[in-house]
Amino acid sequence: MIALAIVLACVINGDTITGVLRQATWLVIAVIVLHAVQMIASHLPQLHVKPVVDV
């Protein structure tokens, strides 16, 4: 069913299966990079800013 949906989407959009796989590869790479950045950011020390007191 999923394969049929991919083929149908390619026919409708005029894409090739290779183009779809290339886009999917870049999507996976982007998600992995985003996840890695979030993991690194969560381990960095958080800077605390003193609150400003109005006089």
Side-chain angles (χ1 to χ4, degrees):
M1 191 68 170
I2 294 174
L4 180 62
I6 292 172
V7 170
L8 185 61
C10 289
V11 170
I12 292 173
N13 293 327
D15 291 334
T16 62
I17 298 295
T18 306
V20 171
L21 291 176
R22 187 179 307 122
Q23 290 176 0
T25 302
W26 282 113
L27 177 64
V28 169
I29 290 172
V31 169
I32 290 171
V33 169
L34 178 63
H35 184 67
V37 168
Q38 288 179 341
M39 292 299 295
I40 292 169
S42 69
H43 287 89
L44 293 177
Q46 298 294 322
L47 298 176
H48 296 288
V49 179
K50 293 180 181 179
V52 176
V53 178
D54 289 335
V55 178

